[in-house]
Amino acid sequence: MRKRGWSLALLVVLASVPFIAFALTPPKSEPPATPNPKQTARSIPCHPGEVAMLGGAQWRCSFSDEFSGSSLDASKWVAQRTSATGVQTGKECVSDSSNNVAVSAGVLNLTVRKEINSFVCPSPLGNYSTRYTGGAVSTWERFSQAYGRFEIRARFPAATVPGLQSALWLYPQNLKYGPWPNSGEIDIAEAYSQYPDVVIPNLHYAHKAPDPTITNRHCSVSTPSEFHVYAAVWSPKSVTITYDGKTCLVHTWNPAEPLAKPAPFDQPFIVCLSQGLGIRGNSFNPFSTPLPATMQVDYVRVWSNSVS
């Protein structure tokens, strides 16, 4: 999904972009599969520099945050602000306030909430009036990597009506091939509160021909409001996305000219986590969407397949 304002953010301070590149349609639910322990790797800690066996292959840990402290680790993350970058998803104003971005009890909390009074949210894309604030963080200028295993254990707000959008995603550190979607985006998991039994992956880029394998709207997740492991294994040839070890999406991209594979997915991407309000097919309704709503992240672990 394209997040509002993140494209400009790269030119200013960070990364993101407007939202919902396709119309949402009700997904078909499927029974969840039994997780494969070798793929989920729930119990394998990630200490940067150390090598572990994952899925029968050796991987070197390149980035890890278990959120065990009492505040966001500024050496790993930057809390996003609409005022600095224009980043937003719906009509919320993304804030670095502790009401929106907080670390406690071993988890990162990203919260979208209603404020007491309406206010003007300053934005490089144009100021707007709102009464809502949201939370988002990224590893912009702290960590980026091309290829590897990106694993996030998270849970999404327990809502079953439209209006909330949660996202775990990867975005280019630099827009090497031009503005979105030309430089690519990997949405590992996006949760729309309107569809409480599925989570959606998506790859964005300028493709040569229509290809349905860039997304999958039928990835059943039993109770997304509980913790699950969302992972992307990214190689020079393909991206495989798994939920609790069950393969949800496999895509081998085919870029439009003048690019040739492995572009645009051959450059370092940052990790982005965001909780905001929904729009369009999952539009926020101030009378029915439950607020405050919090996405919690237990850990982020990134592995490189280079063990030399």
Side-chain angles (χ1 to χ4, degrees):
M1 291 298 138
R2 191 166 181 247
K3 286 87 184 163
R4 189 183 308 273
W6 287 70
S7 201
L8 174 64
L10 274 174
L11 301 177
V12 183
V13 182
L14 169 72
S16 186
V17 255
F19 218 31
I20 304 193
F22 57 79
L24 290 173
T25 56
K28 174 184 176 182
S29 298
E30 296 176 354
T34 301
N36 181 338
K38 290 185 178 181
Q39 290 181 310
T40 59
R42 290 174 186 268
S43 61
I44 298 179
C46 184
H47 303 295
E50 292 186 356
V51 175
M53 292 293 295
L54 294 169
Q58 285 188 316
W59 297 83
R60 184 181 300 279
C61 177
S62 53
F63 177 90
S64 176
D65 197 341
E66 306 292 320
F67 303 108
S68 57
S70 58
S71 61
L72 189 69
D73 187 339
S75 70
K76 298 178 179 179
W77 302 95
V78 57
Q80 298 309 291
R81 292 181 295 116
T82 300
S83 61
T85 66
V87 59
Q88 65 182 111
T89 55
K91 196 65 174 179
E92 79 285 351
C93 185
V94 178
S95 167
D96 60 1
S97 165
S98 59
N99 291 327
N100 303 102
V101 179
V103 174
S104 64
V107 297
L108 167 67
N109 299 279
L110 298 177
T111 300
V112 60
R113 50 177 286 147
K114 182 179 181 180
E115 301 300 335
I116 297 175
N117 299 307
S118 296
F119 62 96
V120 174
C121 181
S123 170
L125 301 179
N127 299 349
Y128 56 94
S129 179
T130 185
R131 196 174 175 179
Y132 306 95
T133 55
V137 300
S138 82
T139 60
W140 171 253
E141 293 190 335
R142 275 92 172 145
F143 171 80
S144 61
Q145 178 176 299
Y147 313 131
R149 177 184 174 89
F150 297 75
E151 181 180 307
I152 303 168
R153 187 169 187 259
R155 64 181 179 185
F156 304 122
T160 59
V161 297
L164 300 176
Q165 184 160 333
S166 313
L168 315 174
W169 48 299
L170 310 178
Y171 196 77
Q173 171 70 35
N174 298 294
L175 297 178
K176 181 178 179 180
Y177 301 110
W180 189 93
N182 296 333
S183 291
E185 176 180 324
I186 300 173
D187 295 332
I188 299 173
E190 291 203 271
Y192 302 92
S193 57
Q194 183 174 3
Y195 307 123
D197 61 346
V198 296
V199 178
I200 300 174
N202 207 330
L203 268 69
H204 296 280
Y205 65 100
H207 37 86
K208 192 170 185 178
D211 188 341
T213 68
I214 63 170
T215 188
N216 186 348
R217 305 177 199 178
H218 308 306
C219 296
S220 177
V221 174
S222 176
T223 319
S225 59
E226 296 178 358
F227 280 111
H228 296 274
V229 176
Y230 303 94
V233 177
W234 171 17
S235 77
K237 295 182 178 180
S238 66
V239 173
T240 299
I241 294 176
T242 63
Y243 296 165
D244 287 336
K246 177 186 176 182
T247 297
C248 175
L249 179 77
V250 178
H251 182 65
T252 56
W253 59 95
N254 185 21
E257 296 179 351
L259 299 187
K261 199 172 181 179
F265 298 103
D266 61 348
Q267 57 178 315
F269 278 35
I270 61 174
V271 179
C272 306
L273 315 170
S274 55
Q275 177 59 59
L277 299 177
I279 62 172
R280 299 183 187 173
N282 186 49
S283 292
F284 170 69
N285 185 328
F287 301 104
S288 60
T289 304
L291 293 178
T294 299
M295 175 175 77
Q296 292 189 320
V297 180
D298 180 29
Y299 65 70
V300 177
R301 298 171 182 170
V302 183
W303 307 81
S304 168
N305 55 9
S306 173
V307 295
S308 59

